[in-house]
Amino acid sequence: MSPFQVKHLQYQFHSPQPTPVLRDVSFGLDKGEFVSIVGPSGAGKSTILKLMADLLPLQGGTVTLQKHLPQEARIRREFAYVFQTPALLPWRSIRRNLELPLQISNQAIAPAKIEQLLQLTGLSGFQEHKPSELSGGMQQLAAIARALVLEPELLLLDEPFSALDAVTREKMNTELERIVSSTHKTALLVTHSIEEAVYLSDRVLVLSARPGQIGGEVVIDEARPRSASWRKTKAFFDKAVAVRELLERESATWRDIAVVSGEGRGRTMGFPTLNLNVEKLPLPYGVHAAWVKIDGQLYPSALHYGPKSTFGGHQDTVEAFVMDYEEKAKTKMVDFEVVGFVRSTVKFVSKEALVAQMEKDVARTREMLGEGMSRLG
């Protein structure tokens, strides 16, 4: 069994209204493994790290880090967290920033250990500099060195290089790969960069749109250490394409979406209309061809997505005009997958014009969905 386990993790924010963030997230990390999580914005990637690090309370599911719950693992200093910003104390030198975890934990300062970490991260010679005197990349290397001071078994990396330019970011990826490989640490990285995930990882987990769940994974079987030139190979390109395709699929799929009501404009056409409780979609306003999964069955649907100002509500409006659905049972939750864009949002001068356009939307939706299979299966 993997020493680091996440099982059936669930989480939701409660303010200003209940918003599910994670749904049934499960995965494990083997000792010495480097795993990355990619996914759409708002899918809950950083939330997973914060739950593992005891920065957020568990609401559902379990996290065990070497058989310990997050709070106990934190007290035992079995993991270290590297944030998006270096969070170095600006009045302290780099050396004294690295000493800080030892001072907080009432451990003796070990100059040899500090020097070893400075050399490991390429910061030897900069130990007496203040953070403001270092580049952004060097500051993040100092943050990684500080994270390694207490010799944790697990590194939790929350987009540590997101603020860097592309060239510097690639250099830092090379440095991080070298550091983690040489120390044999287990690492879990959250990133929006597919190339970064592929270069650094043994596995890339792809999270679905909110509420996030693991939609799939891509195994990266390139041997370590990895050279910068590997990024230019066909093998690297193929792995990046595999991650991108999986990410695109999961970015267009939403699961366990609450149905607010079954009333709406679709009834004008004789179709059941499901008003869905979705705060915001990464889609253009308008009509989209979509598959909707209701009570285990798939139905074609014209998904109308409009801004809150359109109907005077408190959030964007999502109406699913469900075709071939006889509405035998009242449904409370649905899954849906957007397949293609039908048209932009327009205003209609009459009910007749609306009905005429809806007829065209239905025909175009059926054409786009065709005989294709939904990934909702």
Side-chain angles (χ1 to χ4, degrees):
M1 180 182 292
S2 301
F4 307 100
Q5 291 278 341
V6 171
K7 292 184 177 181
H8 309 299
L9 206 59
Q10 300 190 50
Y11 195 80
Q12 72 173 5
F13 295 125
H14 294 284
S15 180
Q17 61 184 6
T19 303
V21 179
L22 297 173
R23 170 185 179 265
D24 199 24
V25 172
S26 297
F27 63 89
L29 303 173
D30 291 333
K31 187 174 178 61
E33 189 178 28
F34 198 120
V35 175
S36 291
I37 301 177
V38 299
S41 295
K45 300 182 296 298
S46 294
T47 300
I48 293 173
L49 291 193
K50 291 173 182 176
L51 289 166
M52 294 177 69
D54 195 37
L55 296 176
L56 288 174
L58 290 173
Q59 295 178 351
T62 61
V63 173
T64 52
L65 308 177
Q66 301 191 119
K67 300 182 180 181
H68 301 123
L69 297 177
Q71 183 180 25
E72 185 178 0
R74 174 177 56 79
I75 294 171
R76 295 168 64 94
R77 299 179 177 87
E78 293 178 349
F79 63 82
Y81 200 111
V82 179
F83 294 89
Q84 295 181 20
T85 56
L88 300 170
L89 299 182
W91 60 88
R92 281 185 170 236
S93 66
I94 296 303
R95 176 181 56 80
R96 295 192 64 222
N97 267 283
L98 267 60
E99 293 172 351
L100 185 61
L102 295 170
Q103 294 174 330
I104 291 175
S105 57
N106 294 318
Q107 297 185 36
I109 302 300
K113 177 186 289 187
I114 300 299
E115 181 57 34
Q116 181 183 23
L117 288 171
L118 289 167
Q119 291 181 6
L120 177 67
T121 52
L123 294 173
S124 185
F126 295 91
Q127 60 266 34
E128 301 307 326
H129 286 63
K130 299 292 178 58
S132 61
E133 298 172 322
L134 272 60
S135 68
M138 294 176 74
Q139 289 182 38
Q140 279 294 25
L141 287 175
I144 292 170
R146 182 181 58 190
L148 293 170
V149 165
L150 296 178
E151 301 182 6
E153 290 297 326
L154 174 64
L155 282 177
L156 299 174
L157 304 158
D158 191 358
E159 298 190 69
F161 305 130
S162 59
L164 305 180
D165 65 85
V167 174
T168 303
R169 185 169 187 158
E170 287 190 357
K171 291 180 180 178
M172 293 303 104
N173 289 169
T174 302
E175 289 299 300
L176 179 59
E177 197 275 337
R178 178 183 58 79
I179 292 167
V180 174
S181 294
S182 63
T183 57
H184 307 290
K185 299 298 182 185
T186 306
L188 181 61
L189 169 73
V190 161
T191 179
H192 282 283
S193 170
I194 292 173
E195 290 74 17
E196 182 173 75
V198 170
Y199 180 75
L200 289 169
S201 305
D202 299 303
R203 287 185 295 138
V204 179
L205 306 179
V206 178
L207 212 60
S208 71
R210 189 175 69 233
Q213 67 179 106
I214 304 298
E217 73 172 40
V218 176
V219 175
I220 314 298
D221 48 11
E222 179 70 12
R224 297 185 186 276
R226 296 172 182 173
S227 67
S229 61
W230 183 56
R231 292 190 181 94
K232 303 176 182 178
T233 65
K234 183 178 184 300
F236 180 88
F237 177 78
D238 288 345
K239 292 296 185 181
V241 168
V243 174
R244 186 177 300 278
E245 289 178 346
L246 189 54
L247 180 59
E248 289 175 349
R249 184 191 82 183
E250 292 303 318
S251 297
T253 304
W254 289 263
R255 295 179 174 87
D256 283 352
I257 302 302
V259 176
V260 178
S261 72
E263 300 295 330
R265 296 173 299 163
R267 295 189 180 279
T268 306
M269 294 286 295
F271 297 127
T273 300
L274 303 180
N275 291 286
L276 306 180
N277 183 23
V278 183
E279 182 179 355
K280 190 77 175 176
L281 296 179
L283 299 170
Y285 292 132
V287 180
H288 299 263
W291 289 105
V292 175
K293 191 173 185 178
I294 303 173
D295 298 331
Q297 298 294 319
L298 288 170
Y299 300 92
S301 173
L303 198 74
H304 286 239
Y305 176 44
K308 58 186 178 182
S309 58
T310 303
F311 306 107
H314 298 294
Q315 63 183 37
D316 289 351
T317 301
V318 182
E319 293 182 334
F321 298 177
V322 185
M323 309 168 202
D324 308 329
Y325 175 51
E326 297 179 0
E327 206 173 5
K328 293 178 180 178
K330 293 290 185 180
T331 183
K332 295 183 178 180
M333 306 290 286
V334 300
D335 301 343
F336 68 91
E337 176 200 358
V338 174
V339 174
F341 184 63
V342 176
R343 66 167 174 84
S344 300
T345 300
V346 294
K347 292 185 177 180
F348 299 97
V349 295
S350 66
K351 182 178 179 180
E352 290 74 16
L354 170 62
V355 171
Q357 182 59 60
M358 289 171 64
E359 290 175 346
K360 294 179 182 178
D361 294 344
V362 169
R364 178 59 178 153
T365 296
R366 289 191 182 277
E367 179 185 343
M368 293 181 71
L369 295 176
E371 299 299 323
M373 296 297 293
S374 170
R375 300 180 182 93
L376 297 173

